[in-house]
Structure formats: C-alpha cells, structure tokens
Amino acid sequence: MLVAMRLIESGFTNFHIYEKDTDIGGTWRVNTYPGIACDVPSHYYTYQNEPNPGWSSRLPQGNEIQDYLVEVAEKHGLRKYITFNREVTDCEHDGTQWSVQVRDGAIESFDFVIACCGLLFHPNYPDIQGLESFQGPCFHSARWDHSVDLVGKRVGLIGTGSTGAQILSSLSERDLELKIFLRTPQWVFPLPDRKYTKFEKKITKWFPSVARFGHFFYRVTFENLFAKAVIKPGWQRRLMSWACKKNLATVKDPELRARLTPDFEPLCKRLVMSTSYYSALQKDNVIIADGNIARIDNDSVTTEDGERHELDVLVLATGYDAHAYFRPMNLKNKNGVSLNDVWEEGPFALRTVAVPGFPNFFFTLGPQSPIGNFSAISIVETQIDYILKCISQATEKQIQTLEPTAQATDAFNEMVYAAMPNTIWVTGCTNWYIGEKGIPSAWPFTGARFREELREPRLSEYGVDAAVDVYPGLFHVFQYFWPALPQSKEALKKAAIGIAAMLRVHGTSLRDPPKPS
Ligand code: NAP
C-alpha cells in the first residue's frame, strides 16, 4: 500500500499489486485470535502521511488496525491497482525483465519487482510427537477457528510469546479452563494501554500535527529506550531490565515467581508487552503446566514430567518461520540460479532490500531489518523510500538493470555482523531473530543509523559507474569542507566524483513513466 501511495504521489501509475488473499490488511486481516492488539503505540504504528485521529487507544485491537488500513486504501483509491486471490509463485528474470507468474499460471512482465510479503507469516507448527493425532479442534494462532465454541471447554495453549500472552489475557476472562504449556518463561514489560478521550480525538482531528507529534514522540521514545537497550549495554538496558523485574515482583507467591523467572536477560527474546499477563496467569481458571511436551495423543498432552493433561481444544501460539521472507515464491535469474541456491547458507541482503544476482528486485522487511519492538510500518517507510529512489535514479539515468554487487553486499553485512556481539540477542536465549548460522537477522544499530544507511542509494553498490553517486558525493563534499568531521583522501576523491556527477545529471524522472511493458 505504501509503495502504491508513493508511486501515485509521484504521478506514476504504471504498476500492479498482486495479493494472494481475498482483501487487504495482511497480518491484521489474517490474525483474528482473541486479544489480538498492537503492542506498539497506535500513533507510531501509522503511516506518516496518514495520521489517524480516530485511534481509540494507545494499543489498539487488531480489527481497528485493519479498519485503518482499509480506510487508507479507499482514500487513495488503491483497490483498482490490486488483484486479489493472485498468489505469485515464480519470478524469472531474462536479463531485461521479470516474468511474474501467479498460481493460476498467468504470466506478466515487469521492469521492477518489489516483494512486500511481510515477515511473520508462515506459521511454525511445533515438531511434537503425535500432534496430528489430537482429535479435538487444534489450530495455530494465525489460523484461529472461530467456529469452535470455547465456553466450558478445557483449552490447552502452547506458546507464551507476544501472541500467547495476548491469547492468555483474553481467554483467562472467559468461562473455560485454560492450561498453559510454559516451556520458557518470558520477561514482560508493563506497557500500559489507555483509551483516548473524545476530546483527545477531536484535538488530533482538528490539528493533525498533534497526531504527527504522537508519532514523533513514540518513535523517539522507542528508539531511545527499547532499540538502544538491545544493541548495547547502558542505562536503557538497565532501565528496561528494572521495569521487567519490578513487573515480575507483582507475583506474590514466591514459588510461582521463581517458576516465571527467565534464566536470560530481559530483551534477549522480543519483549512481551502486557499489563495483564501475570494477573491472568494467577486466575483460578488458568493452570500452568510444564511446557516441555513429551507427546500428544487423541485427547491429551503429556509433559516430560509424566503428567497427562486432558484437553478439548489445542491452540498453537508457536510463532512463525521468520527466515522464509517472501519464499516459497521461487526467484530465478537469467542463468537459472534460484534465490534458494543463493540463500542456501542463510538469507542476506544489501541494505536489507536487495540480493546480488537478482537485478531490479527489491523487498521490504528483509534480512537485518530492524525488528526489536519497533513499528514495522516505520521500518518499511525507510526501506520503500530507498527502493523508490533506486528505481527513480535508474530510470532517470536510463540504467536498465540495478543489481547489488557482491562486494558491496559483503561489506554491508560484515559491518552488520561485526556489531552483533554487542547485542542482547546473543547473550544466551533462543529467539526467532537468530538464523541458522547463529547470526541474528535483526538490526544491531540505532534507528537513526538505519535511516542514514538507507537515506540515499549509492549506485556504485549496484555496479553502476560511481560517478552517478550524486548524493553520497555531496555528503563527502560537505565532509571535506567541515573541519570538525573526519577527513581523508578517500573523502576528497569522492567529493571530486560527486562534483563530476552533479555536472552530469540529466534525464527523466518517475513522473515520466518508462515504456509500458
Ligand atoms: P514467538 O515469539 O516465536 O513465541 C513462540 C512460543 O511458542 C514460545 O513461547 C516458544 O517457546 C513456544 N514454543 C514453540 N515450540 C514449542 C514446543 N514444541 N513446545 C512448547 N513451546 C513451544 O511467537 P509469537 O508469540 O507468535 O510472536 C512472534 C512475533 O510476532 C513477536 O515477537 C512479535 O514480533 C510479533 N507479534 C507482535 C504483536 C504486536 O502486538 N505487535 C503481537 C503478537 C506477535 P520457547 O520460548 O521455549 O521457544
């Protein structure tokens, strides 16, 4: 949706969106589990160009976010660019263009492809002996079966991450017996929710800059607290840690408190945000079972301590395959090399958005995108601005294919990997950020650094003459003449290249669409 909005704003309408589902909304349409809400403040979980004075609360429910997305799509007339129920299965580049094939076999050609397929989409079904033999309703949190009446039932919940915590809080208020299989206790940060008053909503409606300030305020707060706490030791980490421990201390029973105490540092796993988690766990209708499950039978779950737990319904809040990215879409280049081959040893990308070997193909929320407790919308805004600048520059300079060089990609990833030992993700816990090689797929620097790294494309990183790197060139001009900043011969050289590039800039822009394809 954001790509479409940006392109339309630039006067470029020669694009098409494929959506495999029946409507817009992505994760907020698909996920309908009880208690689903956003644990990032609403005014920050908003497109910057579309502030929403109507948010009912700081941490809105999932359906409210879905309504917001639909409203934005209607307002910008996006539906006419989208075909629904069209899942892209294959993308093949012939050296000039991409052939995009959808599940029904139809093929269309494009100059550029951007995959905005989300990150947490493919449900992770746990590998537990006998799972398929359970006879009662059994479903993943992302595929909630609303036809199942839970009243009076014995419901088992496997998984106590962000999703499991929200389901627990919601189901604990219902007339049912809830059994939580708690394998690893989590740290829980008590981020309070708050309903916005009618007056506040009116003020944000009359003065949209108030909503924009809300966005700015929460962004700065999240970036300076959560984001800094995960990337290096310091007062932010100590503060977060103190708040989580204080929250845990609200559990009065020492035995239960000990059971709920994680053996890793706060933030190593993504923080669960909840003010109701511990009180829900202490309700009479909630029973905590050992989360190390030995096997599942037709009507029960047996834990490793030998106890058999009879259940009517089993809910799997067991997370996602966070390293699939836009796969199983099959990507192939003109030499027949597939993305699966290139990513055989784990996903990597140049500046989180492109892979060597696959020209004119970009994606959002790729490897090393900052994840933490950021707003995914905010991350994607930065990535899309960068991607569209790449495409715009290529179009202006009549460059037919943009493909990241292996050298630039390696240099970028070496820089990112070198910062990982400082992060909290590698301090001794399992978390979904960690990839196969033990390297977290998250961003180990600040949000400001992320925006800086993706501010202006450097076309030399795409194998295009370095002389067209106008903006980095300008930056080096500035750097050279500003005595307070570090100087080097390299800076001088780049400054000269930048000036040369400025003298050579010419061509068209995205306002003049390329020949239809
Ligand atoms: P998750 O964080 O990956 O948690 C999965 C849970 O399932 C963990 O508690 C894990 O235990 C447990 N589990 C997996 N296999 C198991 C097994 N065989 N036996 C027992 N337990 C098992 O998944 P999630 O809660 O769906 O959250 C994923 C991400 O989605 C979050 O980190 C967040 O980024 C996003 N999310 C965001 C929001 C929001 O409000 N913005 C809400 C929900 C989710 P172990 O810890 O022992 O592995």
Side-chain angles (χ1 to χ4, degrees), residues 28 33 36-40 45 120 124 126-128 140-141 158-166 181-184 186 269-271 291-293 317-320 371-372 430 432-433:
W28 299 106
Y33 60 78
I36 182 166
C38 192
D39 61 11
V40 174
Y45 202 84
L120 300 167
N124 171 42
D127 184 16
I128 301 174
H140 190 274
S141 57
I158 305 180
T160 50
S162 302
T163 305
Q166 291 180 339
F181 294 92
L182 177 70
R183 184 165 74 176
T184 313
Q186 299 259 25
K269 283 177 183 283
R270 184 195 188 264
L271 266 192
N292 288 316
I293 297 167
T318 45
Y320 300 87
I371 303 167
T430 58
W432 61 260
Y433 305 135

Side-chain angles (χ1 to χ4, degrees), residues 242-376:
W242 172 82
C244 292
K245 285 174 184 164
K246 192 123 180 63
N247 192 28
L248 177 64
T250 60
V251 178
K252 293 287 169 238
D253 175 2
E255 207 176 299
L256 178 61
R257 200 168 56 243
R259 201 166 172 203
L260 296 177
T261 305
D263 62 1
F264 52 86
E265 282 193 63
L267 288 149
C268 183
K269 283 177 183 283
R270 184 195 188 264
L271 266 192
V272 171
M273 307 283 209
S274 176
T275 48
S276 53
Y277 179 79
Y278 291 128
S279 56
L281 274 178
Q282 293 172 83
K283 287 194 175 153
D284 290 343
N285 62 336
V286 177
I287 301 155
I288 305 174
D290 178 9
N292 288 316
I293 297 167
R295 64 170 190 283
I296 297 179
D297 299 306
N298 59 339
D299 63 349
S300 66
V301 169
T302 303
T303 45
E304 279 181 357
D305 55 11
E307 199 167 336
R308 187 167 167 271
H309 306 270
E310 287 192 1
L311 299 169
D312 301 310
V313 181
L314 188 55
V315 176
L316 310 170
T318 45
Y320 300 87
D321 174 3
H323 302 270
Y325 300 102
F326 43 86
R327 294 174 290 178
M329 187 195 298
N330 189 23
L331 216 60
K332 241 187 203 161
N333 67 19
K334 68 172 186 212
N335 302 321
V337 177
S338 78
L339 182 79
N340 284 337
D341 298 331
V342 174
W343 277 1
E344 199 179 2
E345 295 200 9
F348 62 91
L350 171 66
R351 296 188 190 277
T352 74
V353 297
V355 195
F358 300 91
N360 294 4
F361 189 94
F362 296 93
F363 39 85
T364 55
L365 294 177
Q368 259 64 59
S369 296
I371 303 167
N373 286 76
F374 273 49
S375 155

Side-chain angles (χ1 to χ4, degrees), residues 187 226-234 236-238 240-241 264-271 372 419-431 433-434 440 444:
W187 287 109
F226 299 102
K228 287 206 173 142
V230 291
I231 60 172
K232 60 174 195 272
Q236 292 94 340
R237 199 177 278 186
R238 288 195 297 277
M240 295 286 103
S241 184
F264 52 86
E265 282 193 63
L267 288 149
C268 183
K269 283 177 183 283
R270 184 195 188 264
L271 266 192
M420 287 303 174
N422 286 329
T423 68
I424 196 133
W425 307 306
V426 295
T427 55
C429 72
T430 58
N431 60 52
Y433 305 135
I434 307 269

